[in-house]
Amino acid sequence: RGVIVFMHRSWDELAKSPVACARLSPEGQFLQVNHAVCELFGYPEEVLLSLTARDITHPEDRAQSVALVERAVRHREESHQVIKRYLHRQGHVIWALLSTTLERDKDNQPQAWVSRIEDITSRVESDEVVRGFVRRMQMVKELERQGIARELHEELGQTFAGLKLEIDRLQQMLPPQARSQAARLSSVVDDTLSSVRRFTAA
C-alpha cells in the first residue's frame, strides 16, 4: 500500500520529505536527490549527482540489484521493494528498505526510477527477527538472480544459435576468398556465447 501511495507523489513533495528520496535515470545515474539522501549516504548533493546507484551499493548486492532492475524492465513491473545494503561515504554499511517505482514518458518508455530509501540498519543490527528476515530476503534475491540468469542464458543462447546458423548458411553462399571472414564472425559468436555462459553461471 505504501508503494502505491508513493507512486503518485510528485518530486516536489518527495524533495521535502524527511525520508531519503531520489530520481535516477534508467541506467541508475542520480538525477535528483533530496537532503535526506545526502545525509543518509554522507555525500554533498553535487557529488551524489555524479554517481550511480551501483557506486554506493554494497559489492555483494550489486548483482542482485542489476537482476531486479532487469526483471522490472523486462516484465514491466512498475514498482518493487527490496532490502539491500549500501555503503556510506565513510565506508560503513547501511541496511535499507528500497521502494522504487518506474516513471515512463508519453511513448511509454522508461524515463526514471523514483526511489524511497528507508534506513533500517539499527533494526537489522538489534533485532534477531529482523536479521532472520533479512537473511531470508538475501536468499530469495540470490534465487531470483539465478532464475533471471537462466532466463537470460536461454534467450541469448537461442538468439546466438540462430545467428550462427545464418552465418554458416551465408558462408556457403560466399565466394571462397570471403569465407574466412564469415568463419571469423562465427568464431566471434562462439566466444560471445561462451562469455554469456560464464556470466550467467557466476
Side-chain angles (χ1 to χ4, degrees):
R1 184 176 177 83
V3 176
I4 295 174
V5 173
F6 168 60
M7 286 175 64
H8 296 287
R9 297 181 64 184
S10 69
W11 174 252
D12 287 342
E13 292 179 279
L14 297 175
K16 300 172 185 176
S17 173
V19 179
C21 298
R23 288 184 75 249
L24 301 94
S25 72
E27 297 73 32
Q29 180 76 41
F30 283 101
L31 302 175
Q32 292 174 295
V33 295
N34 66 1
H35 180 70
V37 164
C38 298
E39 289 288 315
L40 177 61
F41 296 125
Y43 290 95
E45 180 179 352
E46 62 273 15
V47 175
L48 201 52
L49 293 177
S50 69
L51 302 176
T52 67
R54 177 183 172 83
D55 294 329
I56 60 174
T57 295
H58 191 287
E60 293 180 7
D61 286 358
R62 288 172 182 167
Q64 290 93 333
S65 295
V66 170
L68 284 172
V69 170
E70 288 288 336
R71 187 186 70 180
V73 172
R74 288 158 63 86
H75 298 289
R76 302 183 66 81
E77 296 177 357
E78 300 303 316
S79 63
H80 64 266
Q81 280 188 318
V82 64
I83 292 176
K84 63 178 291 186
R85 290 169 291 178
Y86 292 98
L87 292 177
H88 189 274
R89 190 180 189 181
Q90 295 179 353
H92 59 265
V93 175
I94 300 169
W95 283 94
L97 174 62
L98 173 67
S99 303
T100 300
T101 63
L102 181 60
E103 291 182 342
R104 295 182 180 273
D105 60 22
K106 59 182 178 61
D107 297 319
N108 206 32
Q109 296 302 308
Q111 186 176 39
W113 298 101
V114 182
S115 298
R116 181 181 185 275
I117 308 163
E118 181 183 354
D119 185 359
I120 60 170
T121 305
S122 60
R123 278 184 278 169
V124 172
E125 293 177 346
S126 64
D127 192 318
E128 180 58 36
V129 174
V130 175
R131 285 202 299 274
F133 174 73
V134 168
R135 285 194 293 270
R136 289 193 294 274
M137 286 290 293
Q138 293 296 103
M139 292 175 61
V140 169
K141 285 164 59 179
E142 177 59 24
L143 290 173
E144 287 179 338
R145 186 194 70 80
Q146 293 175 3
I148 293 170
R150 285 194 296 272
E151 183 180 340
L152 181 63
H153 175 268
E154 291 173 2
E155 289 190 7
L156 288 179
Q158 293 174 3
T159 299
F160 280 118
L163 179 59
K164 185 170 174 56
L165 285 174
E166 289 298 323
I167 293 173
D168 291 344
R169 188 177 297 114
L170 178 63
Q171 188 175 10
Q172 299 303 317
M173 299 169 59
L174 291 173
Q177 62 270 24
R179 289 178 183 174
S180 60
Q181 295 180 356
R184 284 196 296 272
L185 183 57
S186 181
S187 178
V188 169
V189 171
D190 287 336
D191 292 343
T192 304
L193 183 55
S194 296
S195 297
V196 170
R197 286 170 176 161
R198 287 195 300 271
F199 172 76
T200 53

